[in-house]
């Protein structure tokens, strides 16, 4: 066994895992260990934030932390080593395998050997065709790099930078000087890739006037951009610079702005909302309903021994009403399979609850919510909200949702036009409950009223079906005894 093999077995690297479903990166939020600390198999060593949630990572080795490869706040690709552990610290000093330098990785990417593995299958085989080097023109010696730069600058109409003196051969000294501003003619058609040719055409640059700097005499994009750059005006000797005084009352806007990188939950939310808004044709319908009886039932349930220790609130009964309505209209609980051009009807309801957390909006869901009793639903709803507020929601808890409820009423908002969670068929917005004048039994009275909004995927849910679904939710909340007669 070689020394390098022994070191590799002794110093084990823990790589960033895919803690979700196909996630590609995660940000290191906090390290719980430092170099020199002893760790055991299964011990949590750090907390990372993926595009879905914050997750604690246990390490599968026992030993002493040798190195933390990345600091807190750094986003790391899945599969990249983040920590090295010495699994045999009693064996004496040894050199741990170092992380591959970026320069080496760049060289490997620039010069691949054989077919390169990718996420699925392998990349294309390298081409066996090689471009022949351009033959030098008779009587024109090869120019060193500084000479090429000077000639390129002249072609672009700029003054060439000073270059170190280079011995000049007599043949070159005796050659007649070219007229100022003339370009060196190229032998044959200039070599350039199609995108570079298009760029030159768009910029109005003649490729024949450009001195190539790429391999084998190929004109690069940089060469074209350099040729398109206007000549710099001759600089004058620096003199006193008059500082323009700012106009009274003007303030630099940049000094009052903050820029925050888009990452983590915010990045995932943005991508999901854009994908949903521009994929599923949304329809939103509204209904205003008297929920006075439901609010009275909430107060009664809080005193019920069967609900002792459970969180009872209006959202619980809205969730139950939504589940009862979906049971009466199961066709609304479906998903659109674009790849197979199929509609997937689901005989279960994973009820998502939109939760605002310090890290942003997340939508965990209660699995098989339609089969749960009211106490069971209250228990799981309470656990779901508490876990979300603590930032401990797992990616699995946010996967597989079928419909969602968003409670905008807690912010005093009457209603909204919610955007579907990707892959789901409907989302119900529950607005604020307010005392309003309402006609009740032929008389105008102060009643507790709310507005519901239902957005649905019009590919799956027709207007009639969506209207009936929303009307049934409102009917249950208006007369909650329907939870028994319809449930």
């Amino acid at each position: 066994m070689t020394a390098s093999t022994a070191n590799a077995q002794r110093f084990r690297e823990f790589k960033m895992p895919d803690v979700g479903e196909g996630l590609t990166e995660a940000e290191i939020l906090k390290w719980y260990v430092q170099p020199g600390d002893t760790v055991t198999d299964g011990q949590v060593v750090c907390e990372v934030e993926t595009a879905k949630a914050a997750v604690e990572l246990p390490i599968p080795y026992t030993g002493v932390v040798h190195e933390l490869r990345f600091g807190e706040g750094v986003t790391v690709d899945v599969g990249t080593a983040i920590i090295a552990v010495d699994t045999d610290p009693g064996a004496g000093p040894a050199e741990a395998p170092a992380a591959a330098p970026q320069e080496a990785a760049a060289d490997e990417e620039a010069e691949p050997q054989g077919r390169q593995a990718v996420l699925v299958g392998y990349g294309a085989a390298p081409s066996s065709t090689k471009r022949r080097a351009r033959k030098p023109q008779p009587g024109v010696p090869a120019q060193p790099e500084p000479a090429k730069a000077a000639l390129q600058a002249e072609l672009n109409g700029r003054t060439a930078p000073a270059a170190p003196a280079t011995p000049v051969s007599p043949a070159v000294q005796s050659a007649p000087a070219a007229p100022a501003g003339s370009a060196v003619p190229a032998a044959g058609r200039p070599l350039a890739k199609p995108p570079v040719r298009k760029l030159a055409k768009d910029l109005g640059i003649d490729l024949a006037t450009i001195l190539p700097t790429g391999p084998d005499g190929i004109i690069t994009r940089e060469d074209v951009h350099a040729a398109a750059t206007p000549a710099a005006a001759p600089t004058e000797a620096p003199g006193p610079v008059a500082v323009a005084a700012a106009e009274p009352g003007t303030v630099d806007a940049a000094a009052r702005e903050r820029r925050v990188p888009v990452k983590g939950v915010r990045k995932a939310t943005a991508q999901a909302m854009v994908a949903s808004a521009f994929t599923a044709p949304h329809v939103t319908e509204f209904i205003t309903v008297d929920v006075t009886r439901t609010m009275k039932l909430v107060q009664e349930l809080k005193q019920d021994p069967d609900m002792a220790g459970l969180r009872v609130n209006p959202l619980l009964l809205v969730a139950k009403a939504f589940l009862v309505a979906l049971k009466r209209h199961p066709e609304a609980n479906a998903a659109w399979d674009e790849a197979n051009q199929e509609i997937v009807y689901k005989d279960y309801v994973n009820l998502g609850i939109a939760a605002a957390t310090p890290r942003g909006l997340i939508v965990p869901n209660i699995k098989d919510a339609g089969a749960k009793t009211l106490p069971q639903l209250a228990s799981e709803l309470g656990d779901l909200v508490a876990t979300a507020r603590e930032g401990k929601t797992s990616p699995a808890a946010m996967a597989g949702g079928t419909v969602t409820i968003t409670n905008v009423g807690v912010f005093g908002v009457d209603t909204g036009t919610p955007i579907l969670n990707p892959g789901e068929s409907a989302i119900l917005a529950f607005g604020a409950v307010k005392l309003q004048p309402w006609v009740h039994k032929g008389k105008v009275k102060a009643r507790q009223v709310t507005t519901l909004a239902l957005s649905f995927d019009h590919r799956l849910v027709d207007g009639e079906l969506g209207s009936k679904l929303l009307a049934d939710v409102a009917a249950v909340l208006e007369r909650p005894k329907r939870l028994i007669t319809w449930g």
Side-chain angles (χ1 to χ4, degrees), residues 279-321:
T279 300
H282 285 55
V283 173
T284 304
E285 296 184 342
F286 308 90
I287 189 169
T288 303
V289 58
D290 178 2
V291 293
T292 304
R293 292 186 178 92
T294 291
M295 300 304 290
K296 289 181 180 179
L297 179 58
V298 169
Q299 298 304 319
E300 294 173 1
L301 289 174
K302 288 182 178 180
Q303 308 301 323
D304 193 316
D306 292 334
M307 305 296 288
L310 299 175
R311 182 179 176 83
V312 179
N313 55 21
L315 179 61
L316 172 63
L317 294 186
V318 171
K320 192 63 177 178

Side-chain angles (χ1 to χ4, degrees), residues 18-310:
D18 178 4
V19 296
E21 298 179 345
L23 299 178
T24 59
E25 62 183 15
E27 177 188 354
I28 299 175
L29 294 179
K30 184 176 182 181
W31 281 108
Y32 296 129
V33 296
Q34 295 297 326
D37 291 351
T38 300
V39 294
T40 57
D41 186 359
Q43 177 180 339
V44 174
V45 295
C46 67
E47 182 182 23
V48 301
E49 182 182 41
T50 69
K52 294 186 176 181
V55 181
E56 293 182 333
L57 299 183
I59 195 165
Y61 310 122
T62 296
V64 174
V65 177
H66 177 76
E67 180 185 9
L68 303 181
R69 295 284 170 82
F70 299 94
E72 296 177 352
V74 178
T75 299
V76 183
D77 291 337
V78 169
T80 303
I82 59 175
I83 182 174
V85 175
D86 184 354
T87 59
D88 190 11
E95 183 179 354
Q102 295 181 358
E103 292 80 2
D107 292 342
E108 291 177 2
E109 292 178 3
E111 299 180 5
Q113 300 296 328
R115 302 181 71 185
Q116 303 298 308
V118 292
L119 290 177
V120 180
Y122 291 86
S127 173
S128 59
T129 303
K130 295 185 178 179
R131 185 184 299 275
R132 292 180 299 175
R134 299 183 68 182
K135 295 181 180 180
Q137 301 179 34
V140 179
Q143 300 186 34
E145 291 300 325
K148 287 184 179 181
L151 180 55
Q152 180 69 68
E154 292 179 5
L155 290 174
N156 298 340
R158 297 194 299 269
T159 302
T166 305
V168 182
S169 65
V172 175
Q173 287 179 341
S174 60
S182 63
V184 176
R189 188 187 185 202
L191 298 178
K193 296 180 178 179
V196 178
R197 293 185 182 276
K198 183 179 185 303
L199 175 63
K201 181 179 179 181
D202 293 340
L203 297 178
I205 304 298
D206 185 2
L207 291 177
T209 64
I210 300 178
L211 184 68
T213 62
D216 297 335
I218 297 177
I219 297 173
T220 65
R221 297 179 65 91
E222 290 73 18
D223 295 337
V224 176
H225 284 298
T229 303
T235 58
E236 299 178 355
V241 179
V243 179
E247 296 181 5
T250 60
V251 180
D252 184 10
R256 298 187 297 168
E257 297 176 348
R258 294 182 299 112
R259 291 180 176 267
V260 180
V262 179
K263 57 185 179 180
V265 175
R266 173 57 56 194
K267 181 178 181 180
T269 300
Q271 293 173 343
M273 294 299 96
V274 170
S276 176
F278 292 97
T279 300
H282 285 55
V283 173
T284 304
E285 296 184 342
F286 308 90
I287 189 169
T288 303
V289 58
D290 178 2
V291 293
T292 304
R293 292 186 178 92
T294 291
M295 300 304 290
K296 289 181 180 179
L297 179 58
V298 169
Q299 298 304 319
E300 294 173 1
L301 289 174
K302 288 182 178 180
Q303 308 301 323
D304 193 316
D306 292 334
M307 305 296 288
L310 299 175

Side-chain angles (χ1 to χ4, degrees), residues 13 17 35 202 210 219 242 262 294 349 372-373 382 426 447 469 476 485:
E13 294 180 334
D202 293 340
I210 300 178
I219 297 173
V262 179
T294 291
V349 179
K372 299 187 183 301
T373 63
R447 303 286 288 180
L469 178 64
V476 172
T485 57

Side-chain angles (χ1 to χ4, degrees), residues 439-450:
V439 177
H440 177 66
K441 295 182 179 179
K443 296 181 180 180
V444 177
K445 297 182 179 180
R447 303 286 288 180
Q448 291 177 296
V449 177
T450 190

